[in-house]
Amino acid sequence: MADFDYDVLVIGAGPGGYVAAIRAAQLGLKTACAESRETLGGTCLNVGCIPSKALLHASELYDEAANGALAKLGVKIDKMSLDLPTLQGQRVDAVKGLTGGVEFLFKKNKVTWLKGLASFTGANTVEVNGEKVTAKNIVIATGSSVAPLPGVAVDNAGRKIVDSTGALELDKVPDHLVVVGGGVIGLELGSVWKRLGAKVTVVEYLDQILPGMDGEVRKEANKIFKKQGFEYKLGTKVTGAEVGKKGVTLTVEPAAGGEAEKIEADVVLVSIGRRPNTEGLGLDKIGLELNARGQIETDHDFGTKVPGVWAIGDVIPGPMLAHKAEDEGIAVAENIAGLTGIVNHDVIPSVVYTKPEIAGVGLTEEVAKERGAIKVGKFPMLANSRAKTNHEPDGFVKIIADAETDKVLGVWIIATVAGTMIAQAAQAMEFGASSEDIAYTCHAHPTHSEAIKEAAMAVRGKPIHM
Ligand SMILES: Cc1cc2nc3c(=O)[nH]c(=O)nc-3n(C[C@H](O)[C@H](O)[C@H](O)COP(=O)(O)OP(=O)(O)OC[C@H]3O[C@@H](n4cnc5c(N)ncnc54)[C@H](O)[C@@H]3O)c2cc1C
């Protein structure tokens, strides 16, 4: 048998890649991970999940103080002001702490970090920084990058037309921020700058925000954000952008066709989606082709059609989410080690970290209905004692169950802590729970989670507090 430098070589140290590398090393495999960034952690830790949440959290506290929400609770702050450099500094600190943490875990688990861009030269060989490295198994975990919008060139350094990375690093609150794309990233980063004082307009091609989520949730979220002062241009496409001295003039027109109009913005955030990173990987050298969406297809075990080459995370089909990538990272390492690594792609929660948060797992009501007869139970946060006490009336919990078997098919939540609440729904679904199982599970009082129990009771028509 041929000798290899490593049992496993992972390309990319995002949540998919670094987790795969650590798990492989834990399972006794000699492991390396190639990463071209200066720091480990990928998109998520460097320019995604973590820095965005650092800004979301701080801006939420600022907003509560600035908009009088704290004063209403008797917490008066006479002289308050925004210290943007400090707010940005704590974002940088959060990223530094967590990316350094991954480096520590690599050392602890004896994962070798190969610094540089990796490119295949053969099925078991890659070149990193001009050096050939061989491995019995190679895991592609190269993630994704911002999708470009034709006619609207991103220039993060210029701070006028930015992508999500540029929007994290603004050194001034724009007077008017136009967000192109009403998806998760646009709404989260729009919320940050809105709370810090910007006027925010969301331009979305579709006739509703948050594509892919439950229809009722999308409508309700739209209403809530409008109440918060977001402006929308739905069913609208951006056809061009002109950068001037002060800002940007965007040209938009109805998606269905019609008269064009101009929108003036100080900053434009382009957030229309992300595309898989495969350029420069040398996939042609190993005969690995991409699907129509530019993704690498894998089988159930995350193996590609080239023996010994595996793929996980944003570069393969499925939702582009850090926890999906992490779970695939664990599963692929276990499969390589000869164990059974499985990810249930039917139960991947997704969360929008706005205020309130929006979370869902499983089927939307629309898709569930297409597949068969369902029952739906809903409970408003307004009737939940904890949410009411905390002055957090917006939102609801909605549970969709099979009409015949009562098996839970989907759970959708709008609530301040929906991202935390959705975990119990995912776990219940993973265990194949019925709505009755949830309804008869004791939930601590007073918690937002009681709304899940009540929604489950509502599936059978008997909530208590409504
Ligand atoms: C602003 C923003 C906010 C987000 N918020 C959330 C959130 O709250 N929750 C959530 O679940 N998801 C969130 N995401 C999505 C999340 O970041 C991704 O789904 C996740 O990072 C994907 O992990 P990955 O390991 O597949 O790839 P990535 O994290 O993209 O990592 C891939 C790594 O591979 C490296 N690489 C690529 N090619 C090569 C090569 N040839 N050689 C060496 N290295 C290479 C890249 O430099 C990169 O570091 C957010 C994304 C953005 C942009």
Side-chain angles (χ1 to χ4, degrees):
M1 203 169 80
D3 268 348
F4 298 102
D5 298 327
Y6 295 97
D7 297 316
V8 181
L9 167 63
V10 183
I11 306 178
Y18 87 71
V19 166
I22 290 173
R23 189 77 184 115
Q26 285 172 344
L27 293 169
L29 300 168
K30 190 180 175 200
T31 306
C33 181
E35 171 57 59
S36 55
R37 267 180 217 273
E38 294 292 307
T39 47
L40 301 171
T43 304
C44 177
L45 270 61
N46 287 282
V47 292
C49 329
I50 295 304
S52 61
K53 272 61 205 181
L55 294 188
L56 279 158
H57 178 64
S59 66
E60 203 172 305
L61 296 178
Y62 173 82
D63 188 40
E64 282 179 9
N67 73 14
L70 288 185
K72 273 191 203 144
L73 303 178
V75 183
K76 285 209 165 174
I77 303 168
D78 282 340
K79 271 194 193 153
M80 67 153 294
S81 60
L82 176 65
D83 175 359
L84 191 54
T86 299
L87 192 150
Q88 287 289 24
Q90 59 88 38
R91 164 183 63 82
V92 174
D93 287 348
V95 169
K96 212 166 149 192
L98 288 171
T99 55
V102 178
E103 200 172 337
F104 165 78
L105 290 174
F106 268 19
K107 282 187 188 137
K108 185 178 161 200
N109 289 285
K110 299 192 174 50
V111 174
T112 305
W113 175 7
L114 305 172
K115 296 185 185 181
L117 268 176
S119 182
F120 281 95
T121 53
N124 297 101
T125 318
V126 298
E127 208 173 270
V128 188
N129 267 341
E131 240 177 74
K132 276 213 158 108
V133 186
T134 60
K136 189 170 179 194
N137 297 280
I138 299 182
V139 180
I140 304 171
T142 47
S144 63
S145 302
V146 172
L149 176 62
V152 187
V154 165
D155 171 18
N156 284 335
R159 297 191 196 279
K160 286 195 177 121
I161 302 182
V162 297
D163 59 20
S164 57
T165 302
L168 290 168
E169 292 169 357
L170 296 179
D171 55 2
K172 195 169 139 243
V173 179
D175 286 336
H176 186 200
L177 171 70
V178 174
V179 177
V180 184
V184 179
I185 293 175
L187 289 171
E188 287 188 4
L189 291 174
S191 291
V192 166
W193 295 107
K194 165 100 203 34
R195 290 171 192 161
L196 298 180
K199 172 184 163 180
V200 177
T201 305
V202 177
V203 181
E204 166 59 52
Y205 185 86
L206 300 174
D207 59 5
Q208 193 54 273
I209 56 168
L210 294 172
M213 293 207 142
D214 181 87
E216 201 176 4
V217 165
R218 294 171 77 187
K219 258 196 222 143
E220 185 65 17
N222 190 349
K223 243 200 292 179
I224 292 170
F225 294 142
K226 243 189 199 160
K227 209 168 64 184
Q228 292 177 2
F230 272 86
E231 293 190 9
Y232 292 109
K233 282 206 166 291
L234 301 177
T236 303
K237 66 177 171 193
V238 174
T239 54
E242 207 175 300
V243 178
K245 264 199 190 134
K246 217 191 132 274
V248 185
T249 305
L250 270 188
T251 310
V252 301
E253 61 183 56
E259 220 169 285
E261 65 170 303
K262 307 268 186 208
I263 308 177
E264 299 297 333
D266 299 281
V267 177
V268 172
L269 161 59
V270 178
S271 52
I272 57 161
R274 297 182 62 80
R275 60 179 187 189
N277 289 333
T278 52
E279 237 179 73
L281 253 183
L283 296 182
D284 50 323
K285 307 252 172 56
I286 57 171
L288 193 54
E289 282 167 9
L290 303 175
N291 69 15
R293 305 191 63 195
Q295 300 157 323
I296 297 172
E297 294 281 351
T298 68
D299 60 20
H300 190 253
D301 296 333
F302 306 103
T304 69
K305 73 173 193 80
V306 180
V309 178
W310 314 71
I312 55 168
D314 280 9
V315 81
I316 71 169
M320 288 183 167
L321 291 169
H323 42 278
K324 175 230 179 217
E326 283 187 49
D327 284 6
E328 289 174 352
I330 291 173
V332 79
E334 294 181 348
N335 288 327
I336 289 170
L339 306 174
T340 307
I342 297 170
V343 176
N344 179 1
H345 286 102
D346 291 337
V347 184
I348 307 270
S350 61
V351 182
V352 191
Y353 295 89
T354 44
K355 188 171 182 186
E357 293 178 346
I358 301 159
V361 61
L363 302 183
T364 62
E365 186 173 344
E366 294 75 24
V367 173
K369 252 185 202 150
E370 272 169 25
R371 295 193 186 174
I374 55 166
K375 275 192 180 167
V376 176
K378 256 182 82 178
F379 190 78
M381 294 315 292
L382 191 64
N384 170 268
S385 60
R386 187 63 183 274
K388 206 165 159 53
T389 307
N390 288 4
H391 307 275
E392 296 161 343
D394 287 333
F396 56 78
V397 175
K398 168 172 171 176
I399 297 186
I400 302 155
D402 186 293
E404 205 178 306
T405 65
D406 193 34
K407 187 176 175 190
V408 177
L409 303 173
V411 177
W412 294 89
I413 306 174
I414 302 183
T416 46
V417 287
T420 304
M421 291 164 73
I422 202 71
Q424 83 155 92
Q427 193 163 40
M429 286 175 67
E430 193 62 46
F431 291 173
S434 62
S435 79
E436 187 183 43
D437 291 329
I438 298 177
Y440 283 96
T441 299
C442 189
H443 285 62
H445 174 76
T447 57
H448 295 80
S449 296
E450 285 173 287
I452 297 182
K453 178 186 172 89
E454 296 261 17
M457 291 169 110
V459 172
R460 301 156 62 80
K462 292 181 230 152
I464 297 290
H465 293 96
M466 249 176 69

